[in-house]
Amino acid sequence: MVKMSRADRAKQFMPFAALRGYDQVVKERERIVCEKEDLTEERIEQLSKTVSVLKKGDLVKVKYYKIDAYETISGVVTVIDTTMRYLKVIKTLIPFDDLYQIEIIE
């Protein structure tokens, strides 16, 4: 009888992904799809005021529409481009038209 090393015995119990990318596909299928809401004039005005006081380096929590659902991201504002109408939080580019809520974290 050949004795296995402890490392070799542990390997046989390690997780094995037989189908590469399967977990990601399952996650996408579980995603709840929703339509983009039409914003009220008050919300548009509130968002406009918040964007006008934002500065590069501010810490924010942003809820925005992405493809088929709303997502929330927290992080530092790295770019505010009022000409091209987008906001960049860390590395995520968010068009102004997709904004739903912005909260400045102090």
Side-chain angles (χ1 to χ4, degrees):
M1 182 164 148
V2 178
K3 215 170 187 185
M4 290 175 83
S5 71
R6 193 172 250 174
D8 288 336
R9 280 187 293 173
K11 282 182 187 177
Q12 62 184 342
F13 297 106
M14 290 180 69
F16 174 70
L19 300 173
R20 179 169 280 148
Y22 178 75
D23 291 337
Q24 185 178 1
V25 171
V26 170
K27 265 186 175 177
E28 282 297 315
R29 296 291 298 218
E30 291 175 349
R31 183 180 172 126
I32 299 171
V33 177
C34 64
E35 295 293 318
K36 186 175 180 181
E37 289 183 33
D38 291 330
L39 300 180
T40 63
E41 289 297 322
E42 290 135 7
R43 181 169 296 267
I44 293 170
E45 188 175 316
Q46 180 186 24
L47 285 170
S48 180
K49 284 180 184 177
T50 305
V51 167
S52 70
V53 298
L54 275 181
K55 299 179 300 296
K56 186 177 175 180
D58 282 348
L59 184 61
V60 294
K61 182 177 179 182
V62 180
K63 184 175 182 179
Y64 64 101
Y65 191 77
K66 181 180 178 183
I67 303 172
D68 59 0
Y70 283 94
E71 294 193 8
T72 303
I73 186 172
S74 296
V76 176
V77 175
T78 55
V79 176
I80 304 166
D81 190 332
T82 53
T83 306
M84 298 302 289
R85 298 186 40 81
Y86 73 86
L87 169 71
K88 198 169 187 180
V89 177
I90 307 171
K91 293 183 179 181
T92 305
L93 191 135
I94 307 165
F96 286 174
D97 293 338
D98 292 339
L99 291 172
Y100 183 78
Q101 183 178 5
I102 305 174
E103 179 183 335
I104 300 173
I105 302 170
E106 297 191 25

